């Protein structure tokens, strides 16, 4: 037990550092026009969660303002909807100041391998380019081109809806920040 505690103590800082780097890389992936990110203070994030009427404000995990040359180019919002098939699905969404979703990535999930886990792959590319002017809707079958529809993963509608719920929360946060 002592050896385990010592190992945990020695590696905790390194693990935390790796998580910080991974999150920074993820932010740059979903909002590639930004070269710097500034975290929105926790008090303000809590205020936004209340303002948008979140039933579970703890699912709004973090918000960053992305800048380039001192100019705001967009926001990244990390959400953790607990409505996935196997619980929480952490989604990081990038939205440009023009109101376009610039990308999403799944940070963490425990969905079924081969089904819900597909949300961490190419499936999430369909969010890129969608407008943040309105919430997105999950549909079974083919999503209409140029619409606010997201095609569900076959056999994994619950996960599809959880990811989309996270993106929709991000859209609401963006709409609040850009007022």
């Amino acid at each position: 037990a002592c050896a385990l505690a010592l190992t945990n103590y020695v590696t905790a800082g390194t693990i935390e550092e790796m998580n910080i780097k991974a999150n920074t890389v993820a932010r740059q992936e979903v909002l590639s026009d930004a070269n710097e990110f500034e975290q929105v203070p926790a008090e303000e994030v809590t205020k936004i969660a209340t303002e948008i009427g979140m039933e579970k404000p703890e699912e709004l995990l973090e918000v960053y303002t992305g800048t380039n040359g001192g100019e705001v180019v967009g926001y990244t919002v990390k959400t953790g909807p607990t409505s996935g098939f196997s619980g929480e699905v952490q989604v990081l969404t990038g939205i440009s100041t023009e109101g376009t979703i610039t990308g999403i990535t799944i940070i963490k999930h425990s969905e079924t391998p081969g089904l819900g886990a597909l949300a961490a792959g190419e499936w999430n590319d369909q969010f890129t380019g969608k407008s943040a002017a309105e919430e997105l809707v999950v549909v079974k079958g083919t999503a209409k081109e140029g619409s606010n529809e997201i095609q569900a993963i076959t056999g994994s509608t619950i996960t599809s809806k959880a990811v989309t719920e996270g993106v929709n929360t991000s859209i609401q946060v963006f709409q609040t920040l850009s007022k």
Side-chain angles (χ1 to χ4, degrees):
C2 288
L4 186 60
L6 178 64
T7 302
N8 186 49
Y9 175 77
V10 171
T11 60
T14 305
I15 291 169
E16 179 63 22
E17 214 173 281
M18 289 172 54
N19 284 338
I20 290 168
K21 284 181 183 176
N23 278 306
T24 300
V25 167
R27 277 186 222 96
Q28 289 170 330
E29 284 177 8
V30 300
L31 190 64
S32 59
D33 286 349
N35 55 20
E36 290 185 355
F37 295 90
E38 183 180 332
Q39 188 166 14
V40 173
E43 317 79 68
E44 194 172 332
V45 172
T46 302
K47 184 179 161 199
I48 292 168
T50 303
E51 193 174 320
I52 64 176
M54 288 185 72
E55 285 182 33
K56 299 178 183 174
E58 66 277 8
E59 292 182 355
L60 180 54
L61 304 176
E62 66 179 34
V63 179
Y64 279 77
T65 301
T67 60
N68 189 329
E71 183 181 326
V72 175
V73 294
Y75 303 92
T76 65
V77 182
K78 188 194 292 184
T79 55
T82 54
S83 55
F85 186 75
S86 299
E88 183 186 48
V89 180
Q90 286 189 8
V91 183
L92 183 67
T93 306
I95 302 177
S96 72
T97 51
E98 288 83 36
T100 302
I101 297 172
T102 54
I104 77 158
T105 190
I106 308 302
I107 300 291
K108 185 172 106 179
H109 72 86
S110 52
E111 300 302 277
T112 309
L115 285 176
L118 292 172
E122 289 179 16
W123 175 80
N124 63 28
D125 291 345
Q126 67 183 311
F127 289 88
T128 303
K130 295 279 187 192
S131 171
E134 61 182 335
E135 290 193 358
L136 304 175
V137 180
V138 175
V139 295
K140 293 182 179 183
T142 307
K144 292 186 196 97
E145 192 70 36
S147 73
N148 67 333
E149 295 178 346
I150 296 297
Q151 182 175 342
I153 298 169
T154 303
S156 192
T157 306
I158 293 171
T159 302
S160 303
K161 287 181 177 180
V163 172
T164 304
E165 177 187 335
V167 174
N168 282 337
T169 297
S170 299
I171 287 171
Q172 291 177 318
V173 170
F174 164 76
Q175 289 171 346
T176 300
L177 289 170
S178 59
K179 282 181 184 173

